[in-house]
Amino acid sequence: MAELMTTTPERATQDDVNEEIAAIVKEYDAALADGAAPEVATRLDYPPYRSSLLRHPTKDLHHADPEGIELWAPVFGERDIDALEADLTIQHGGDPVGERIVVTGRVIDGDGRPVRGQLVEVWQANAAGRYIHKRDQHPAPVDPNFTGVGRCLTDDDGQYRFTTIKPGPYPWKNHLNAWRPAHVHFSLFGTEFTQRLVTQMYFPGDPLFALDPIYQSIVDPRARERLVATYDHDVTQHEWCTGYRWDIVLTGTHRTPVEEDE
Amino acid sequence: MKYPPTPGQTVGPFFHDALPYFGGSDLVPPGHPGRIHLHGTVFDGAGTPIPDALVEIWQADAGGSASRATGSLRRDGFTFTGFGRAATDGTGGYSFSTVAPGPIAPASAAFFSVCVFARGLLDRLLTRAYLPGDDASLAADPLLVSLPPERRSTLIAAPDAHGFVFDIRLQGEGETVFLWHGSR
Ligand SMILES: [Fe+2]
């Protein structure tokens, strides 16, 4: 496809990419041993993910104290979404194919406060690893009963909850025989716009983790594992579905109590 | 900060059925008093427009207030919610119809908060699009003052016939200043 961007004319193999990933890990471990602070964020400049080569800023992000509108976030409410949008398995005439799951968890800010009544959006591939998206070329079946798009609002405790189908892994064109671990895309808002987050939730024990440059772009293993849900038998429902729990932590807030009262 | 933040990941190539929504880029309807066009192109490091980016704006209303109203996803045509979302088109362009934000604090420089996502961009980027024209406020703005002079212009929208143009350059010549707020 036209959007493949690589520095070399030959497409890399998985082994080539593994070597690049290993070299970055080695460099990171050496920096840690030298006393560097562990990284908590995703690297923007991560060459094993080829599409990032021309799409990351080369200059450091500029530190700025949030001001004005940045100290507030858009407000969403019952008017914005339908309660049925939280169930991705009932959007069509029949049941989608695959393993029915519930994914639930809590959205909190960096101080541990629940993010209440805020919008959570998700999208994902179907059980066969195929998106409904018109540009998904993976020769796996589209499921006429699954769009793979959901929305909900968090409750007063910051909890969100989706019923869906466990997505399949899917191939992509980063390198030869490249496969993404199964994931659900998440979009989140906090109480301040600087907390805006788009990320991906993964499933425990995925054999593709070590091979995936997008997952590995979070070079610190503890930070990376924050994207992996846990299987939770208390979420699993008798003769109905299995359950996963995944909590999300947004960054800290900056608004002062005085502004809060306004 | 007590709890380490959940890291971001790229929005990927397949967000179009999920994030953009009907009316997302129209913060005000046609005929609204003070309606302006805020638009631009998102470029990569080779100067090539990015056709699979997503741009969000979050702004004060014309009077400088942050809206606390719901309804951004299902607009009623009357309530200003301050939030908009637009995917880039095949030429890398995005476009919003909105009003010019007022300054939130008296005599401060007015700006749109802008959030950028794209396939190939591993985490979202935040920036500001300042309104041009109020030279005194721009010259006193704490963020603009903290930047090298040659980079300030990347954050100031340019006037055109119907509003403002704000191009976003992810990398290279004229790279947009992107912001970090201390916790990620
Ligand atoms: Fe995906």
Side-chain angles (χ1 to χ4, degrees):
Chain A
M1 282 186 27
E3 51 269 39
L4 179 71
M5 277 179 254
T6 143
T7 46
T8 53
E10 295 290 309
R11 200 187 290 188
T13 64
Q14 183 69 55
D15 284 345
D16 296 334
V17 169
N18 291 351
E19 266 177 46
E20 293 175 38
I21 291 172
I24 292 166
V25 168
K26 196 174 166 194
E27 197 180 293
Y28 178 65
D29 287 345
L32 284 183
D34 278 354
E39 294 183 15
V40 294
T42 307
R43 286 198 187 176
L44 295 168
D45 179 6
Y46 195 75
Y49 176 29
R50 300 296 190 242
S51 300
S52 75
L53 289 172
L54 289 170
R55 295 186 174 192
H56 70 272
T58 52
K59 298 194 164 56
D60 289 340
L61 300 183
H62 185 83
H63 181 262
D65 291 324
E67 294 177 291
I69 195 68
E70 292 165 340
L71 294 166
W72 301 91
V75 182
F76 299 93
E78 305 297 340
R79 177 175 149 197
D80 288 290
I81 60 169
D82 191 303
L84 297 176
E85 290 182 75
D87 189 340
L88 288 73
T89 67
I90 56 167
Q91 297 174 351
H92 299 272
D95 290 327
V97 173
E99 181 183 343
R100 187 184 299 111
I101 59 172
V102 161
V103 177
T104 186
R106 226 170 147 233
V107 185
I108 59 172
D109 69 18
D111 299 310
R113 289 178 297 215
V115 176
R116 299 189 168 101
Q118 192 50 292
L119 177 68
V120 181
E121 297 165 282
V122 295
W123 69 104
Q124 61 166 89
N126 69 21
R130 177 82 187 256
Y131 285 87
I132 201 85
H133 197 279
K134 62 180 187 293
R135 288 178 62 197
D136 186 355
Q137 302 292 312
H138 178 31
V142 167
D143 186 339
N145 290 316
F146 192 72
T147 304
V149 173
R151 291 195 177 104
C152 75
L153 297 175
T154 57
D155 68 13
D156 270 355
D157 187 39
Q159 302 272 356
Y160 70 88
R161 183 184 183 89
F162 290 102
T163 301
T164 185
I165 293 293
K166 195 174 183 191
Y170 61 84
W172 60 311
K173 297 176 188 299
N174 190 68
H175 52 275
L176 275 173
N177 205 17
W179 287 78
R180 295 292 334 278
H183 59 274
V184 178
H185 295 265
F186 270 73
S187 164
L188 299 126
F189 293 82
T191 53
E192 301 181 8
F193 199 56
T194 57
Q195 294 173 291
R196 186 80 180 89
L197 175 67
V198 165
T199 188
Q200 301 179 23
M201 184 208 87
Y202 299 90
F203 292 87
D206 198 310
L208 294 166
F209 282 154
L211 311 181
D212 179 41
I214 292 181
Y215 181 65
Q216 296 294 329
S217 68
I218 306 159
V219 296
D220 188 89
R222 277 153 306 177
R224 206 154 62 213
E225 282 155 19
R226 288 180 195 124
L227 297 188
V228 184
T230 51
Y231 173 74
D232 187 340
H233 202 65
D234 291 332
V235 176
T236 293
Q237 293 171 31
H238 180 67
E239 293 183 357
W240 182 245
C241 69
T242 55
Y244 290 87
R245 185 170 290 282
W246 186 52
D247 294 332
I248 299 156
V249 185
L250 304 181
T251 56
T253 56
H254 304 80
R255 204 157 72 221
T256 61
V258 175
E259 287 167 303
E260 196 77 67
D261 290 342
E262 276 174 3
Chain B
M1 194 159 63
K2 281 178 263 172
Y3 297 84
T6 304
Q9 292 267 267
T10 181
V11 76
F14 299 133
F15 60 82
H16 294 89
D17 299 298
L19 295 181
Y21 58 92
F22 179 77
S25 61
D26 300 321
L27 286 76
V28 299
H32 188 91
R35 182 172 184 253
I36 57 123
H37 190 205
L38 173 71
H39 63 113
T41 303
V42 184
F43 294 99
D44 73 10
T48 305
I50 299 181
D52 44 12
L54 182 78
V55 178
E56 290 179 348
I57 58 169
W58 168 234
Q59 64 164 104
D61 64 17
S65 295
S67 173
R68 312 311 298 142
T70 64
S72 292
L73 295 181
R74 293 190 185 165
R75 301 198 193 276
D76 65 9
F78 298 95
T79 308
F80 186 78
T81 65
F83 176 74
R85 181 183 278 170
T88 55
D89 61 22
T91 64
Y94 72 89
S95 171
F96 293 98
S97 55
T98 184
V99 293
I104 285 202
S108 68
F111 63 85
F112 299 89
S113 184
V114 179
C115 192
V116 189
F117 308 86
R119 180 182 67 82
L121 176 59
L122 276 158
D123 199 359
R124 96 285 185 272
L125 293 171
L126 283 165
T127 187
R128 294 180 184 176
Y130 284 88
L131 293 184
D134 183 356
D135 293 339
S137 295
L138 291 172
D141 182 81
L143 168 61
L144 293 175
V145 165
S146 72
L147 290 168
E150 71 277 9
R151 299 202 71 204
R152 285 175 202 159
S153 62
T154 71
L155 299 187
I156 303 173
D160 77 352
H162 303 289
F164 306 100
V165 183
F166 184 71
D167 291 335
I168 298 166
R169 291 181 170 79
L170 296 188
Q171 189 184 92
E173 175 100 30
E175 183 175 304
T176 301
V177 172
F178 297 104
L179 305 176
W180 175 67
H181 297 100
S183 41
R184 178 148 72 137

